[in-house]
């Protein structure tokens, strides 16, 4: 808006109105539009009628002591000339800092000029020194000048005339000088020597505040959003810079911010709304802004108003699919600007919304979410860079948010262009075959002989294509596969999308079979095109295969761009191993993936949630995730099959009525453990036999759960309840919890449910703790009105400490959001907990089991392939096992892996929370002796040996002693870490004796337990340790039913 013609008023004693005026006009803008004054001094034009005037001329318009000002004026009557300087800082506004006045009664109708030297307070014009301790930061200084016609006899009296009533007036701005650009003041005093010396030590030290900007890069790397209820959580703190924080707080009731988001949309929202970016407040409610995508592709924007309710608008334009676009949103008071910008930065659409009410906006009171959450599904898309300007409204041209990784961006576009062609070819080919079969069927519909020919002859192939030569040559591998495929076989439906997916599955099976043969890895070159076609058909196991193949150089040259492409594509398609791969890479910051804990958590939490759901599903290629190390001969000998000695012996004992054998046999069959194929139906027979014959409470309980759920057997709630009561009467804690679940789910009797859960919790059942938490969370705990998230969270934490999967998941979310009072934000802890749950996923267990079976059968190519697939997800046991295979078969590793397998995967292993001691010893040896292209590093070697010792391995102490015997000294911080008192071992001989003593008398189990009790990190990993110890019991015994709840905003 234009400035007013008249300058603002400046009375001698500024009233409240002036203070408000100065606050809005002369401190940095807090967002509201106001009538601003101008810093340009109006030009004087002398009136021929001798009108009074006053003009200010300053040689240097800065706030300096003794600044020279020339005051030119004319009085038509006896007058008083007034000068006043008013300053504003971040703490006070409108403060008079200089005053001067004089009278003139003789020089009437004559233009006069008077020289004045301005004097300001020392804290405004000088630097801090020994005497001036707190100089102030001045925002603005205005120098006012005015003439009043007043009796000069009242000159000595108090001046009451203000600036507005003056007969002539003028003003100008003075530029404030930053504190550290000001000179020191000469105080004309001599300090004592000590005081002078202390001052000189710090005189030229300028305190540096960390660089802080309101522009924040929320996301720098591409994020694959699969449309699930998980996303990236970002939380913002208050600014450290006081000026920025002051502006932010003033903009809470008048928001001014901009968000810029790059997107590559694959589909519009399937149902209702899908999350793009939104803010969740401390009450777990949507706040400003909440931006969603609709089913039609429109942008839905929701705001929280100052008066307390919400308001939503929808754009008139929709967002395009399968092309990169930038969505820019700016908020200013009650105004919203929405723009979509193409890859070439040209604006495609723009729309404005204006409201009479301002929005409420406090970006520190809650957290942002990109994508999905417990409240809403995310969009099916790739997120590119996301930039957030916390305090500024920017035009599209002013936003700096480029697409960084142009090569990957282009690869994504090319991939989906190619896949559209492939899916169209498959669909049309299937239609051609289908039409041909229908025509032939009509010919022999009533002819039995022709029907026999149709059923038993060789299946017809389509040799006459409707596609041109160029297309056939471009996709010659695909056409060859389609000709070989039997579309009349079961699994190929008439539905287009199912047909394409089934074709992708068959192509993958063909490639996987080739790669799993005796010399399978030598076929990698011919298998890559098949896997690429399978990926394009939407079968994303193939996508993950390709990601690993290109990232590790497994049988091909390393291509990190393609590796990243297929990782992202697989993760977007919800392939569990691909999602875990990205979570692990961002958690560790390896392979050119940026370290980003929030992004890592988005991936890991997705699979962690699926792990909980997958374990309640007996279908699919799942197996129990077992920690079996290839160097552990005893565990390897215990692996069996249905015709193996171990299994046959268990079956014999189970038949004789041995309850322990029946339990173990049922567990092996139900979960697919110890090398036995998953067979839930056979497992249920043993559960039933044990429950009826042996009266074993665990078998009775497990069979009751099967009957309640109807897994592999017809539901029988009546019998299930009788069995559950029977097991509970025998004192089984999980059965007591099961009764509570029955009363909650079937009878809706929350009082009885809570009663049983309280008893079960006292017996140490973590399921009961979790279920009590759900009652508080849903606000249905008997006798307690309303929801109580704080108490619920404490129960969830107690359940997590007992190894409860869902309890651990909830606590990990609390640590990520920091929205719960007992859970300070800790992204690393959140990732560790979510990662541990994700690594229990049955689909990962299936790959690990295939790798182990191949190893036991000496099928080296298949073992190497599947261990690489598992290791790249970040699970430690597969990483150390893969390194072991590469040590056993270095010829195989050198031939088919472009990376240094042994170094890479032992190095990955020791970076894990649960790394084994032998991995530390291996890396210690590598650093000590030097490994191939890796240089020696004695200190790192000793650190590895020390860590092995802390894990309870006496070899670590022994190796440290040997290092000392060779004349090397152990750094003091390593000795402190080992709890070795250097004061008691001042000589090398004494220290050697201590190390050798510990290497021979070490008690690994008790020391490890004691060490965990001593370390504060124990609290971080306690749920994980307990989950490991309790995993067999909990997962083998058929997880009891738990309440499924959703946290939805009111």
């Amino acid at each position: 808006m234009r400035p007013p013609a008249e300058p603002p008023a400046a009375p001698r004693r500024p009233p409240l109105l002036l203070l408000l005026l100065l606050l809005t006009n002369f401190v940095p803008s807090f967002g509201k539009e106001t009538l601003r004054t101008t810093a340009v001094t109006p030009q004087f034009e002398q009136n021929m009628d001798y009108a009074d005037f006053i003009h200010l001329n300053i040689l240097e318009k800065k706030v300096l002591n003794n600044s020279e000002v020339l005051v030119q004026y004319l009085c038509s009557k006896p007058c008083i000339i007034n000068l006043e300087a008013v300053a504003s800082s971040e703490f006070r506004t409108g403060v008079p800092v200089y005053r001067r006045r004089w009278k003139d009664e003789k020089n009437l109708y004559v233009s006069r000029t008077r020289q004045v030297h301005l004097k300001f307070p020392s804290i405004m014009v000088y630097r801090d020194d020994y005497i001036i301790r707190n100089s102030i930061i001045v925002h603005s200084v205005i120098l006012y000048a005015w003439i009043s016609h007043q009796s000069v006899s009242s000159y000595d009296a108090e001046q009451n005339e203000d600036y507005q009533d003056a007969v002539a007036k003028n003003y100008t701005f003075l530029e404030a000088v930053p504190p550290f650009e000001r000179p020191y003041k000469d105080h004309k005093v001599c300090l004592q020597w000590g005081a002078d010396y202390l001052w000189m030590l710090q005189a030229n030290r300028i305190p540096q505040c960390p660089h802080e900007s309101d522009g924040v890069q929320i996301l720098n790397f591409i994020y694959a959003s699969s449309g699930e209820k998980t996303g990236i959580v970002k939380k913002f703190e208050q600014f450290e810079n006081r000026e920025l924080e002051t502006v932010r707080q003033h903009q809470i009731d008048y928001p001014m911010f901009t968000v810029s988001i790059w997107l590559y949309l694959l589909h519009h929202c399937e149902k209702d709304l899908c999350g793009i970016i939104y803010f969740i407040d401390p009450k777990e409610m949507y706040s400003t802004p909440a931006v969603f995508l609709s089913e039609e592709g429109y942008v839905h924007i929701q705001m929280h108003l100052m008066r307390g309710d919400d308001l939503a608008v929808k754009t008139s334009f929709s967002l395009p699919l399968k092309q990169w676009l930038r969505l820019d949103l700016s908020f200013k008071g009650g105004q919203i600007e929405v723009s979509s910008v193409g890859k070439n930065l040209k604006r495609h659409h723009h729309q404005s919304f204006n409201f009479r009410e301002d929005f409420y906006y406090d970006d520190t009171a809650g957290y942002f979410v990109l994508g999905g959450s417990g409240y809403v599904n995310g969009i099916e898309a790739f997120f590119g860079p996301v930039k957030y300007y916390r305090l500024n409204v920017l035009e599209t041209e002013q936003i700096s948010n480029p697409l960084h990784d142009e090569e990957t961006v282009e690869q994504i576009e090319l991939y989906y262009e190619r896949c559209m062609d492939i899916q169209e070819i498959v669909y049309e080919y299937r239609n051609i075959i289908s039409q041909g079969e229908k025509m032939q069927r009509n010919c022999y519909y009533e002819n039995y002989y022709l029907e026999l020919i149709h059923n038993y002859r060789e299946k017809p192939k389509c040799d006459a294509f409707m596609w041109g030569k160029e297309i056939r040559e471009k996709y010659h591998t695909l056409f060859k596969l389609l000709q070989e495929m039997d579309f009349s076989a079961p699994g190929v439906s008439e539905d287009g999308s199912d047909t394409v997916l089934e074709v992708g599955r068959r192509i993958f099976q063909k490639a996987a079979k080739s790669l799993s043969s005796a010399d399978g890895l030598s076929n990698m070159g011919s298998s890559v095109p098949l896997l690429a076609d399978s990926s394009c058909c939407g079968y994303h196991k193939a996508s993950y295969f390709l990601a690993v193949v290109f990232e590790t150089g497994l049988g091909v040259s390393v291509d990190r761009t393609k590796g990243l492409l297929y990782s992202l594509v697989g993760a977007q398609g919800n392939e569990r191993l691909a999602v875990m791969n990205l979570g692990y890479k961002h958690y560790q910051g390896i392979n050119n993936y940026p370290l980003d804990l929030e992004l890592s958590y988005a991936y890991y939490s997705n699979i962690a949630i699926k792990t909980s759901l997958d374990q309640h599903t007996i279908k699919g290629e799942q197996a129990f995730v077992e920690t079996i190390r290839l160097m552990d001969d005893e565990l390897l000998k215990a692996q069996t099959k249905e015709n193996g000695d171990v299994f046959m012996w268990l079956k014999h004992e189970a038949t004789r009525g041995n309850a322990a054998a029946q339990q173990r046999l049922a567990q092996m069959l139900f979960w697919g453990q110890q090398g036995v194929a998953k067979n839930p139906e056979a497992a249920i027979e043993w559960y039933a036999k044990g429950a009826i014959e042996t009266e074993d409470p665990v078998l009775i309980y497990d069979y009751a759960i099967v009957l309640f759920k109807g897994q592999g057997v017809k539901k029988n709630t009546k019998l299930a309840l009788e069995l559950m009561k029977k097991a509970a009467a025998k004192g089984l804690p999980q059965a007591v919890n099961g009764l509570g679940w029955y009363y909650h789910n079937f009878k809706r009797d929350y009082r009885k449910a809570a009663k049983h859960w309280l008893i079960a919790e006292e017996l140490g059942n973590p399921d009961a703790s979790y279920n009590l938490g759900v009652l508080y969370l849903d606000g249905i705990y008997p006798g307690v009105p309303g929801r109580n998230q704080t108490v619920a969270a404490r129960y969830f934490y107690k359940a997590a400490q007992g190894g409860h999967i869902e309890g651990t998941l909830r606590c990990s979310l609390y640590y990520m959001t920091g929205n719960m009072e007992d859970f300070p934000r800790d992204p690393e802890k959140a990732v560790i907990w979510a990662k541990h749950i994700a690594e229990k996923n049955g689909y990962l267990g299936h790959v690990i089991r295939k790798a182990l079976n191949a190893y036991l059968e000496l099928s080296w190519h298949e073992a190497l392939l599947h261990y690489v697939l598992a290791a790249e997800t970040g699970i430690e046991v597969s990483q150390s096992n893969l390194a072991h295979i590469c040590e056993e078969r270095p010829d195989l590793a050198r031939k088919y892996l472009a990376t240094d397998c042994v170094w890479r995967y032992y190095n990955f292993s020791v970076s894990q929370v649960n790394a084994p001691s032998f991995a530390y010893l291996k890396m210690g040896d590598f650093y000590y002796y030097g490994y191939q292209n890796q240089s020696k590093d004695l200190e790192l070697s000793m650190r590895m040996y020390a860590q092995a010792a802390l894990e309870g391995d006496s070899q670590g102490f022994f190796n440290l002693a040997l290092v000392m015997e060779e004349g090397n000294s152990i750094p003091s911080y390593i000795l402190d870490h080992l709890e070795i008192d250097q004061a008691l071992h001042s000589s090398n001989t004494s220290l050697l004796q201590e190390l050798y003593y510990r290497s021979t008398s070490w008690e690994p189990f008790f020391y490890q337990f004691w060490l965990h009790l001593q370390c504060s990190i124990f609290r971080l990993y306690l749920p994980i340790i307990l989950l490991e110890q309790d995993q067999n019991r909990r997962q083998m015994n058929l997880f009891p039913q738990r309440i499924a709840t959703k946290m939805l905003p009111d």
Side-chain angles (χ1 to χ4, degrees):
M1 299 178 68
R2 293 184 178 276
E6 285 289 321
R12 292 188 62 83
R13 294 185 177 178
L16 178 61
L17 178 62
L18 175 60
L19 294 181
L20 293 174
L21 185 61
L22 286 166
L23 177 64
T24 54
N25 286 349
F26 300 118
V27 296
S29 170
F30 296 138
K32 297 186 179 180
E33 290 190 5
T34 58
L35 297 176
R36 293 177 179 268
T37 56
T38 176
V40 179
T41 304
Q43 296 295 317
F44 164 69
E45 294 181 6
Q46 188 169 353
N47 195 315
M48 294 302 294
D49 296 328
Y50 299 102
D52 296 68
F53 72 86
I54 189 166
H55 178 60
L56 298 172
N57 185 15
I58 305 178
L59 299 178
E60 191 173 6
K61 291 191 174 183
K62 290 186 176 181
V63 180
L64 303 172
N65 216 29
N66 283 322
S67 294
E68 185 178 300
V69 181
L70 297 178
V71 183
Q72 185 181 8
Y73 64 92
L74 182 146
C75 293
S76 60
K77 296 180 180 179
C79 61
I80 298 175
I81 297 90
N82 300 269
L83 280 183
E84 183 172 306
V86 177
S88 296
S89 70
E90 63 178 305
F91 302 111
R92 297 182 64 189
T93 59
V95 180
V97 293
Y98 173 82
R99 286 175 181 164
R100 174 80 186 274
R101 57 179 177 149
W102 64 90
K103 59 184 177 180
D104 194 336
E105 23 180 22
K106 296 180 180 179
N107 302 299
L108 305 180
Y109 304 108
V110 177
S111 176
R112 302 275 295 172
T113 299
R114 183 159 181 165
Q115 187 181 55
V116 178
H117 291 277
L118 302 178
K119 293 185 180 291
F120 297 107
S122 296
I123 58 174
M124 287 179 57
V125 291
Y126 293 114
R127 284 182 63 168
D128 281 358
D129 58 19
Y130 195 77
I131 296 174
I132 302 173
R133 292 304 182 113
N134 294 295
S135 59
I136 63 171
I137 299 174
V138 180
H139 287 161
S140 62
V141 176
I142 310 172
L143 181 63
Y144 295 95
W146 69 94
I147 298 173
S148 57
H149 287 174
Q150 187 175 351
S151 171
V152 293
S153 60
S154 62
Y155 174 76
D156 295 327
E158 186 176 354
Q159 180 87 356
N160 291 318
E161 292 289 330
D162 62 17
Y163 182 81
Q164 292 283 25
D165 297 330
V167 295
K169 51 191 173 184
N170 209 331
Y171 76 103
T172 188
F173 282 99
L174 299 180
E175 180 185 347
V177 179
F180 293 103
E181 294 180 15
R182 300 171 189 169
Y184 286 109
K185 184 176 182 179
D186 184 0
H187 293 286
K188 307 294 184 183
V189 296
C190 291
L191 298 174
Q192 293 181 352
W193 179 86
D196 187 57
Y197 177 73
L198 289 174
W199 168 245
M200 292 305 297
L201 288 176
Q202 60 180 357
N204 294 314
R205 293 183 185 175
I206 301 176
Q208 297 287 324
C209 292
H211 175 72
E212 196 170 15
S213 169
D214 81 308
V216 182
Q217 198 75 43
I218 293 181
L219 184 63
N220 247 329
F221 201 76
I222 296 174
Y223 166 53
S225 174
S226 59
E228 300 291 310
K229 288 183 175 291
T230 55
I232 300 173
V233 175
K234 288 284 184 179
K235 190 174 180 69
F236 294 98
E237 302 297 334
Q238 296 180 356
F239 287 103
E240 293 183 18
N241 184 299
R242 290 186 300 176
E243 294 185 14
L244 291 177
E245 179 57 21
T246 301
V247 174
R248 188 196 69 80
Q249 291 183 11
H250 279 81
Q251 289 186 4
I252 287 176
D253 61 348
Y254 193 91
M256 293 180 67
F257 66 94
T258 303
V259 181
S260 175
I261 308 168
W262 280 102
L263 294 172
Y264 187 88
L265 284 173
L266 296 176
H267 304 284
H268 292 145
C269 193
E270 286 189 6
K271 185 180 179 182
D272 300 327
L273 299 173
C274 297
I276 299 177
I277 184 170
Y278 45 94
F279 192 78
I280 304 294
D281 69 14
K283 296 181 180 179
E284 296 295 315
M285 303 288 287
Y286 291 121
S287 189
T288 305
V291 183
F292 305 98
L293 186 70
S294 72
E295 297 175 71
E296 300 83 12
Y298 300 114
V299 181
H300 174 102
I301 307 168
Q302 183 172 309
M303 295 74 60
H304 187 62
L305 302 178
M306 285 297 298
R307 69 187 183 198
D309 52 354
D310 296 313
L311 185 68
V313 294
K314 184 173 69 173
T315 60
S316 59
F317 62 87
S318 61
L319 300 183
L321 298 178
K322 293 182 180 174
Q323 67 180 63
W324 284 100
L325 64 97
R326 197 179 79 189
L327 181 65
D328 295 338
L329 303 106
S330 63
F331 296 76
K332 183 179 181 181
Q335 180 179 355
I336 304 173
E337 302 283 341
V338 187
S339 300
S340 71
V341 179
K343 193 176 170 184
N344 57 3
L345 299 184
K346 289 185 178 178
R347 182 184 288 178
H348 292 168
H349 301 281
H350 177 78
Q351 192 169 359
S352 298
F353 301 95
N354 292 282
F355 306 94
R356 294 182 179 179
E357 292 194 57
D358 291 339
F359 310 139
Y360 177 83
Y361 179 66
D362 183 355
D363 65 355
T364 64
Y367 57 92
F368 275 100
V369 179
L370 277 176
S373 67
Y375 310 112
V376 66
N377 287 86
I379 55 175
E380 293 185 60
F382 295 100
F383 281 86
V386 179
K387 188 73 173 281
Y388 169 41
Y389 296 90
R390 299 177 67 182
L391 304 177
N392 280 298
V393 176
L394 300 180
E395 296 291 335
T396 297
E397 298 77 16
Q398 297 174 299
I399 295 172
S400 176
N401 184 29
L403 272 171
H404 299 293
D405 193 349
E406 294 182 3
E407 188 176 5
T408 304
V409 164
E410 185 178 356
Q411 286 291 321
I412 289 174
E413 290 178 316
L414 293 174
Y415 171 84
Y416 284 101
E417 286 175 11
R418 181 177 183 275
C419 290
M420 285 176 67
D421 290 343
I422 286 178
Q423 291 176 15
E424 185 178 346
I425 289 170
V426 171
Y427 182 67
E428 292 297 332
Y429 187 92
R430 173 70 183 93
N431 280 345
I432 292 172
I433 294 294
S434 179
Q435 292 298 324
E437 288 180 344
K438 285 180 180 178
M439 292 176 64
Q440 291 181 7
R441 196 176 295 115
N442 291 335
C443 295
Y444 56 75
Y445 183 69
E446 295 181 353
N447 189 314
Y448 179 69
Y449 176 71
L450 291 177
E451 186 175 349
L452 289 175
I453 293 177
H454 170 75
N455 290 336
Y456 296 105
R457 69 173 178 172
E458 184 180 350
K459 298 304 175 185
K461 298 177 182 179
C462 180
D463 296 319
F465 292 123
M466 58 180 282
W467 297 276
K469 181 180 179 182
E470 183 180 349
I471 294 292
R472 292 201 307 272
E473 289 179 351
K474 185 177 180 180
Y475 302 111
H476 66 278
T477 305
L478 176 65
F479 281 112
K480 184 179 178 182
L481 288 167
L482 290 173
Q483 285 181 297
E484 297 171 355
M485 202 169 290
D486 181 8
F487 282 89
S488 62
V492 181
S493 67
E494 296 293 331
D495 181 75
S497 59
D498 289 345
T499 296
V500 173
L501 185 62
E502 176 61 21
V503 168
R505 187 186 68 82
R506 293 188 183 186
I507 295 173
F508 172 78
Q509 287 179 335
K510 181 181 178 68
K513 184 178 180 181
S514 173
L515 292 172
S516 298
S517 62
D519 297 317
L521 294 180
S522 61
N523 302 324
M524 186 62 76
S526 59
S527 298
V528 165
L530 301 181
L531 292 170
D533 289 345
S534 175
S535 170
C536 269
C537 290
Y539 198 75
H540 290 298
K541 284 186 178 179
S543 302
Y544 180 62
F545 264 61
L546 288 169
V548 172
V549 164
F550 285 118
E551 281 203 355
T552 61
L554 184 62
V556 299
S557 299
V558 172
D559 189 331
R560 299 209 181 278
T561 301
K562 285 187 177 179
L564 172 59
L565 168 69
Y566 284 107
S567 288
L568 291 169
V569 167
Q572 200 288 319
N574 251 329
E575 167 55 32
R576 286 160 175 76
L577 273 65
V579 178
M580 291 179 66
N581 171 48
L582 288 174
Y584 174 63
K585 299 296 170 57
H586 285 296
Y587 169 52
Q588 295 289 349
I590 53 178
N591 288 18
N592 298 321
Y593 289 77
L595 176 63
D596 190 327
L597 294 176
E598 286 93 349
L599 187 50
S600 174
Y601 180 79
Y603 290 124
Y604 271 129
S605 61
N606 183 3
I607 303 307
I609 292 170
K610 285 183 171 59
T611 298
S612 175
L613 299 174
D614 291 342
Q615 288 183 345
H616 294 285
T617 305
I618 61 176
K619 297 179 181 178
E621 295 182 332
Q622 296 193 69
F624 186 79
V625 178
E626 300 170 282
T627 305
I628 300 172
R629 303 195 182 278
L630 300 184
M631 56 286 295
D632 190 332
D633 291 335
E634 293 302 318
L635 268 179
L636 291 181
K637 289 176 184 177
Q639 302 307 302
T640 184
K641 288 191 174 180
E642 287 80 350
N643 58 356
D645 292 341
V646 174
F647 186 86
M648 296 303 292
W649 179 82
L650 281 172
K651 190 173 181 180
H652 172 72
E653 289 296 307
T655 305
R656 292 179 58 193
N658 186 314
Q662 290 172 342
Q663 276 189 44
R664 186 70 195 121
L665 199 63
Q667 291 161 3
M668 290 166 66
L669 288 165
F670 194 89
W671 295 104
Q673 294 175 341
Q674 245 176 286
V676 176
K678 197 173 182 180
N679 189 341
E681 290 76 14
I684 289 166
E685 290 180 11
W686 286 108
Y687 282 129
K689 182 178 177 65
I692 295 169
E693 293 181 1
T694 67
E695 295 284 309
D696 181 75
V698 174
L699 287 169
I700 294 172
Y701 165 77
D702 285 340
Y703 188 47
I705 287 294
V706 167
L707 292 171
F708 269 129
K709 295 173 69 175
Q711 286 184 321
V713 68
K714 186 178 179 180
K715 280 187 179 182
N716 189 333
T717 305
K718 183 179 179 180
L719 177 59
L721 180 60
E722 290 177 7
L723 291 171
M724 191 68 76
K725 287 181 177 180
K726 194 173 185 179
K730 291 177 178 288
L732 192 68
Q734 54 262 47
V736 180
N737 172 73
L739 285 176
W741 169 81
Y742 168 80
Y743 285 115
H744 178 278
N745 280 41
F746 288 86
K747 297 297 183 181
R748 293 293 184 266
D749 189 336
Y750 303 132
R751 191 171 297 279
K752 281 189 177 181
K755 176 183 175 182
H756 283 88
W757 285 336
L758 286 169
I759 295 172
E761 191 200 25
E762 288 181 4
L763 295 173
N765 183 259
D767 293 313
S769 299
Y770 180 82
N771 290 336
L772 288 168
V774 172
L775 289 182
Y776 278 103
L777 186 66
D778 289 347
I780 55 176
Y781 192 91
V784 178
R787 302 175 69 205
N788 192 325
Q789 294 190 60
T790 303
V791 175
R794 289 170 185 162
Y795 273 112
F796 294 149
Y797 185 77
K798 189 173 182 179
Q801 287 182 307
H804 193 281
I805 285 183
E806 287 88 346
T808 305
L809 274 175
R810 285 193 181 271
C811 290
S812 73
L813 178 62
Y814 293 153
Y815 281 122
M816 179 54 67
T817 64
N819 238 22
M820 203 65 63
E821 60 179 324
D822 293 336
F823 294 82
R825 190 166 194 262
D826 191 336
E828 184 175 9
K829 186 184 291 187
V831 171
I832 290 171
W833 287 26
K835 177 179 184 289
H836 188 78
I837 299 301
E839 288 177 351
K840 300 299 176 186
N841 190 271
Y843 289 90
L844 174 61
H846 177 73
V847 175
I848 295 173
R849 171 48 61 180
K850 289 184 74 172
L852 180 60
N853 288 344
Y855 177 81
L856 294 172
E857 295 167 4
L858 301 182
S859 179
W860 294 103
H861 285 242
E862 186 179 7
L864 182 66
L865 170 65
H866 286 93
Y867 269 124
V868 171
L869 291 170
E872 288 296 308
T873 66
I875 187 166
E876 188 284 321
V877 65
S878 293
Q879 292 174 338
S880 54
N881 281 350
L882 177 56
H884 178 77
I885 288 178
C886 292
E887 283 185 305
E888 257 191 302
R889 290 294 307 272
D891 56 325
L892 193 70
R894 282 194 297 268
K895 183 175 181 180
Y896 292 110
L897 277 170
T899 57
D900 189 339
C901 175
V902 176
W903 174 273
R904 174 184 173 88
Y905 291 104
Y906 274 135
N907 197 24
F908 282 178
S909 175
V910 297
S911 68
Q912 301 274 21
V913 170
N914 56 340
S917 61
F918 69 81
Y920 289 115
L921 293 173
K922 285 283 186 182
M923 290 304 297
D925 290 344
F926 292 160
Y927 283 122
Y928 186 79
Y929 296 107
Y931 182 79
Q932 296 185 4
N933 297 327
Q934 306 296 331
S935 59
K936 296 181 180 181
D937 192 320
L938 186 60
E939 186 173 345
L940 272 176
S941 173
M942 288 188 283
R943 287 173 60 181
M944 293 295 159
Y945 292 147
Q947 193 61 44
L950 289 173
E951 293 297 322
D953 197 321
S954 58
Q955 186 69 44
F957 286 111
F958 186 80
N959 288 0
L960 286 172
L962 290 179
V963 170
M964 279 199 68
E965 289 225 41
E966 294 184 0
N968 302 301
S969 59
I970 300 177
S972 58
Y973 73 89
I974 292 180
L975 295 175
D976 291 339
H977 202 53
L978 292 170
E979 301 284 339
I980 295 177
D981 191 346
Q982 299 175 63
L984 299 177
H985 305 284
S986 56
S987 67
N988 286 347
T989 304
S990 174
L991 185 55
L992 272 171
Q993 288 177 345
E994 176 68 19
L995 291 172
Y996 279 129
Y997 174 77
R998 291 196 182 192
S999 70
T1000 56
S1001 63
W1002 199 244
E1003 303 259 355
F1005 176 80
F1006 292 106
Y1007 178 79
Q1008 188 175 20
F1009 180 73
W1010 173 83
L1011 182 66
H1012 278 298
L1013 286 176
Q1014 295 298 316
C1015 296
S1016 60
I1017 202 170
F1018 176 70
R1019 289 187 178 180
L1020 172 62
Y1021 301 134
L1022 177 60
I1024 294 174
I1025 295 166
L1026 291 175
L1027 186 58
E1028 285 284 4
Q1029 294 173 348
D1030 203 43
Q1031 194 67 36
N1032 290 344
R1033 176 187 66 77
R1034 292 171 48 71
Q1035 291 191 340
M1036 292 175 184
N1037 292 342
L1038 289 174
F1039 276 82
Q1041 286 289 319
R1042 303 175 188 101
I1043 303 172
T1045 61
K1046 295 182 180 179
M1047 292 173 59
L1048 297 173
D1050 295 332

